[in-house]
Amino acid sequence: MGPFDYIFAFVSEAAAQADPVVGAWWAAPSAQLPGAWMGNVIPGLRVTVNGSGGAISTTDQFGAVTTQPGPDLPLDALWRILIESRSLDPALDASPAREIVADRGLALSGAPMSNYIVYSSVPLESLAEMTASPMPAGSAYVYGAT
Amino acid sequence: MPRALRSLFALWCALALTATPADAASPGRLLVTGGGAPGWTLPPVRGNGVDLNFATGQYWLKGATGPVQNSRATAETCFTSGGNLVQAGPYQNCVTDLGVGAWEGRTNSVPNNTSASGWSYLDIGGVVHSTPTVTTVNGYNVISTSYVGTPSASGTVEIVYTGASPVSVIDGQTWTLSESLSYSGSLTNISSLQTAAFWQTAGGTYISGSYASPSISTSLVRYQQSFVVSNSGANVASALNALLQFNFTSGQAVNVTFNIAVPQLELNPNIPASVASATTEQLVSSALANGSGSGYSNTSGTMTWNGSGCVVNPVLAVTYAAGVATVTGVNNGGTCASGNVMTAAAWTAGGGITGGSGFTATVTLTNFLGYGASQTGTLTWSGAGCSVNPVLNATSGGGGGLVSINSVVTPGSCTTFPTSAAVSTWTAGGGLTGSGSLGIALTPVNNSAQAFATTPILTTSGALARAPDNITLPVAACSGSGSLYGIGTPAAPPGYPQNQAFAQIDEGDSHNRVTFFRATSGYVVSNSTVAAVGVNVNASAAPVAAGVSGKTSVFATASMLQTVYNNGTINSGAVTGFPAGMTTLRIGVENGVQAPLNGTISRVAVACGQSLLNQ
């Protein structure tokens, strides 16, 4: 169905820029323009562990206290990027940095995670305990269930 | 499809789209007859050309050799002149009577802005908020919450859009909060109504916030406010909350309903991070010593941050070629493995980096320029050479009264930092010392004044990102001369530090091209070829304010270029080769970089062999 959302992980953004596959989405700085990630990508994608932020007591400027969840904690220190592709891409599939491939169209149709996750370097059970953010506007990935 | 058939098809489409009695008598002539954009008119396109009038839905495509495409893979919304919100799917242009949306990539971090699921409420004095209701108005969901009763205590009431999911933030980021608001009932006994965003530590300690007091009415109006997240002393910013807050007074009855629509929290991705609490100590002690003494490019050496303190962590980014030796010797351990870029969190004052054999590093120092008090200090580079050009990222950006400081990014420019006469000249292998006894004056940029909200990104269960618009149309090549013409309304403040591409015509890549874009100085036309880069001519002599519709046109031949903004003075410059071979019209792309105008583009035209100046 598609389109497909690829998630790649690197030790740093610089490593992603230098990657022979993912680096194709990076426009290096020139004399006139700063460098920039190009096209349908989400650089710096955050992957967090659901519920890891605990509960915190928040105080506003007047001293009113409420209890709320803390921001979930990062899964690890890796730097991630999401790249959208209209179809499965052999070059992207061959990248050792590939972590997840998801079929956005299938997810939009209401298919379960076990169907719309085309590839995952971690078990789906573990994937269901994580959240990747942000996701592409117009997508409808559901977390927390396989 | 054969090219001849494509041309016929394009012509048929154009006639079908534009046919009116007047048009039938004079095919190709377009007259703007309505819509939200000014009533600019164009003469007939006599030769090959295209005229895309997004505002009126009239398209002359005689010179087109294919369809209009947008590579944006995500959904997008855009407002009509009447305030209705229109949604476009992936790869679709978002077109209204104002024009086509041309926005940079953004993320809405409010996890749910289409219902109140995940929102939290702080009530006071026994007046409990009603169960929120959702109605669809003008194409988007409006969430209404009522308060009826007499509070038994005074205090603050809050509706927190990010209640269940505070947004992760760090010091120096520039954010914009926007939302549509109205009320029904009465504002009697409601005081201190504010749209607010405040940030806190990971432990929940309040640090600071941004508070605005809109004069809301019974009609939905969209508001926005921008702010820079900051640390405060030992309190490190970690989470951001967005909310509406107001006060009740004990014993004073209230009966009001607040209507909130599509609240949005956006990080401004193209505004460099700043340090709100930067101190003189940080800058004065910002000396980067290269132990080997051989300059920026070393086969071995030790780089040591000589800062005696680290009140605000500097960002020392160390990048090096793949496959080169590891970076070792950093005394904070763990996070500076080979390939990592050092970040503020990873750096410890007094630490060092020791390169192995063949170590080559490019050092980027940032965060010297903050939003806060003016900074003074002395910055000294102790390297002996400049064989690899450094990037000293202390950009001054826009705003008034700033000392101009440029990044050093091009070979041979090691002597051009800084460019301001107010400070001494940078010399390779030497030092950079500011004038006067205090050294360099770095006047901070007000990043929040450069920030702005974009069109709403609709969310239901988590943050969503909208990719940048990238609109292209293949066109038949002009030969000899031609015009590029556009009308648009930008949304960013004039000081926005990123160029905002309006339109470009090129040969299918980023080489031979004519581009016009909005910059801090106004609209600029740039002509470049493979051999010669960047002949820039100002179309407008002054910055162009946000929300102001204007038209820019450029006429070029093989030997000259003329450009004009809003029928003003025609400015000229040299040009080399336009428009022969130009076959692609792009909207929202400059030199291959997707940095759209940020706003609506109501009309774009290419006319071969004729001038559209002052049309």
Side-chain angles (χ1 to χ4, degrees):
Chain A
M1 182 173 271
F4 297 90
D5 291 310
Y6 284 75
I7 296 177
F8 299 89
F10 297 91
V11 294
S12 68
E13 183 175 8
Q17 293 165 0
D19 184 81
V21 176
V22 172
W25 274 261
W26 170 251
S30 68
Q32 292 178 310
L33 296 168
W37 288 100
M38 298 288 295
N40 295 300
V41 302
I42 301 177
L45 187 79
R46 282 173 50 85
V47 175
T48 53
V49 179
N50 298 339
S52 59
I56 58 175
S57 295
T58 293
T59 307
D60 68 12
Q61 80 272 31
F62 303 114
V65 178
T66 56
T67 299
Q68 62 181 156
D72 286 337
L73 302 177
L75 173 67
D76 51 37
L78 296 176
W79 187 90
R80 290 179 169 83
I81 184 169
L82 181 148
I83 297 176
E84 181 269 353
S85 176
R86 291 204 184 196
S87 59
L88 290 172
D89 185 321
L92 295 178
D93 285 328
S95 169
R98 181 185 64 153
E99 278 194 332
I100 292 171
V101 183
D103 187 325
R104 192 190 304 178
L106 269 182
L108 277 169
S109 72
M113 179 185 282
S114 55
N115 283 11
Y116 69 69
I117 295 295
V118 177
Y119 169 82
S120 175
S121 61
V122 299
L124 288 183
E125 293 74 17
S126 300
L127 205 59
E129 297 171 358
M130 307 171 195
T131 297
S133 179
M135 285 286 102
S139 63
Y141 294 115
V142 178
Y143 297 97
T146 59
Chain B
M1 183 183 295
R3 179 171 178 155
L5 280 180
R6 284 204 310 268
S7 298
L8 280 175
F9 180 71
L11 179 59
W12 179 86
C13 289
L15 291 173
L17 285 165
T18 63
T20 66
D23 294 328
S26 178
R29 180 181 179 83
L30 290 183
L31 178 65
V32 178
T33 55
W40 306 109
T41 60
L42 276 180
V45 176
R46 295 192 296 266
N48 275 335
V50 295
D51 185 349
L52 310 176
N53 194 325
F54 297 103
T56 63
Q58 295 172 295
Y59 305 95
W60 176 248
L61 299 169
K62 182 179 180 182
T65 58
V68 178
Q69 296 191 16
N70 191 333
S71 69
R72 189 198 69 250
T74 60
E76 181 172 287
T77 68
C78 46
F79 283 108
T80 68
S81 60
N84 292 317
L85 193 66
V86 174
Q87 299 183 47
Y91 310 109
Q92 295 178 349
N93 288 312
C94 201
V95 181
T96 70
D97 63 339
L98 293 174
V100 63
W103 298 97
E104 66 185 21
R106 287 285 184 103
T107 295
N108 181 6
S109 293
V110 172
N112 183 3
N113 67 359
T114 52
S115 78
S117 175
W119 294 17
S120 67
Y121 291 82
L122 175 65
D123 296 329
I124 191 78
V127 177
V128 179
H129 68 279
S130 69
T131 300
T133 61
V134 179
T135 55
T136 301
V137 178
N138 294 340
Y140 52 92
N141 287 356
V142 177
I143 298 140
S144 299
T145 309
S146 298
Y147 296 85
V148 179
T150 303
S152 59
S154 300
T156 304
V157 181
E158 295 178 344
I159 303 174
V160 187
Y161 321 133
T162 52
S165 303
V167 178
S168 291
V169 294
I170 60 172
D171 177 59
Q173 291 179 332
T174 303
W175 288 79
T176 299
L177 169 66
S178 57
E179 67 286 284
S180 297
L181 291 174
S182 72
Y183 75 92
S184 52
S186 171
L187 289 178
T188 299
N189 298 330
I190 304 293
S191 61
S192 303
L193 185 141
Q194 298 182 116
T195 53
F198 70 84
W199 48 98
Q200 61 192 48
T201 66
T205 300
Y206 175 85
I207 296 178
S208 188
S210 166
Y211 303 94
S213 301
S215 298
I216 67 171
S217 69
T218 54
S219 299
L220 275 174
V221 174
R222 196 149 186 86
Y223 303 94
Q224 65 171 289
Q225 63 203 79
S226 298
F227 50 91
V228 178
V229 171
S230 60
N231 295 337
S232 177
N235 289 328
V236 176
S238 174
L240 181 65
N241 302 273
L243 61 154
L244 178 71
Q245 60 182 196
F246 43 91
N247 284 358
F248 289 167
T249 301
S250 179
Q252 297 184 357
V254 298
N255 186 346
V256 65
T257 298
F258 291 106
N259 308 306
I260 304 167
V262 283
Q264 179 150 303
L265 260 179
E266 301 170 73
L267 174 67
N268 286 257
N270 291 317
I271 295 180
S274 62
V275 179
S277 55
T279 66
T280 299
E281 178 188 8
Q282 179 195 2
L283 190 59
V284 169
S285 61
S286 298
L288 184 68
N290 188 311
S292 73
S294 59
Y296 298 86
S297 178
N298 302 286
T299 54
S300 64
T302 301
M303 289 188 298
T304 303
W305 179 264
N306 287 340
S308 59
C310 207
V311 177
V312 176
N313 281 331
V315 176
L316 182 60
V318 181
T319 60
Y320 42 90
V324 178
T326 58
V327 176
T328 60
V330 179
N331 68 354
N332 56 359
T335 58
C336 288
S338 175
N340 274 3
V341 173
M342 257 180 126
T343 64
W347 180 256
T348 299
I353 303 172
T354 303
S357 176
F359 174 58
T360 301
T362 300
V363 180
T364 305
L365 290 173
T366 61
N367 280 357
F368 288 104
L369 196 57
Y371 173 44
S374 295
Q375 306 296 310
T376 59
T378 300
L379 185 65
T380 302
W381 175 266
S382 61
C386 195
S387 57
V388 176
N389 209 56
V391 177
L392 188 57
N393 189 16
T395 53
S396 63
L402 297 178
V403 173
S404 176
I405 299 175
N406 288 346
S407 294
V408 182
V409 294
T410 54
S413 64
C414 293
T415 59
T416 62
F417 179 90
T419 57
S420 170
V423 290
S424 64
T425 300
W426 170 263
T427 54
L432 175 65
T433 304
S435 60
S437 59
L438 293 178
I440 309 162
L442 296 179
T443 304
V445 177
N446 185 345
N447 280 355
S448 63
Q450 299 177 343
F452 64 102
T454 65
T455 190
I457 299 168
L458 305 182
T459 61
T460 56
S461 59
L464 291 179
R466 181 192 60 234
D469 283 296
N470 178 20
I471 305 168
T472 58
L473 174 66
V475 296
C478 293
S479 60
S481 63
S483 288
L484 181 61
Y485 176 102
I487 304 171
T489 306
Y496 189 56
Q498 172 88 27
N499 285 348
Q500 301 138 73
F502 196 124
Q504 172 172 303
I505 185 164
D506 56 50
E507 58 178 7
D509 56 29
S510 60
H511 292 147
N512 296 321
R513 63 185 186 272
V514 170
T515 308
F516 60 85
F517 56 88
R518 179 175 179 250
T520 54
S521 59
Y523 282 106
V524 177
V525 172
S526 173
N527 164 248
S528 299
T529 68
V530 175
V533 176
V535 176
N536 289 352
V537 181
N538 285 333
S540 57
V544 177
V548 175
S549 176
K551 67 169 183 174
T552 302
S553 59
V554 53
F555 175 62
T557 70
S559 59
M560 67 90 187
L561 177 149
Q562 293 180 312
T563 184
V564 66
Y565 175 72
N566 279 356
N567 294 7
T569 302
I570 295 177
N571 299 304
S572 301
V575 68
T576 52
F578 175 79
M582 304 292 184
T583 57
T584 303
L585 171 64
R586 301 177 195 273
I587 299 173
V589 173
E590 177 196 358
N591 191 14
V593 173
Q594 293 162 0
L597 179 67
N598 280 319
T600 54
I601 294 175
S602 55
R603 192 169 185 175
V604 174
V606 176
C608 295
Q610 66 182 109
S611 169
L612 297 180
L613 297 175
N614 287 341
Q615 298 295 332

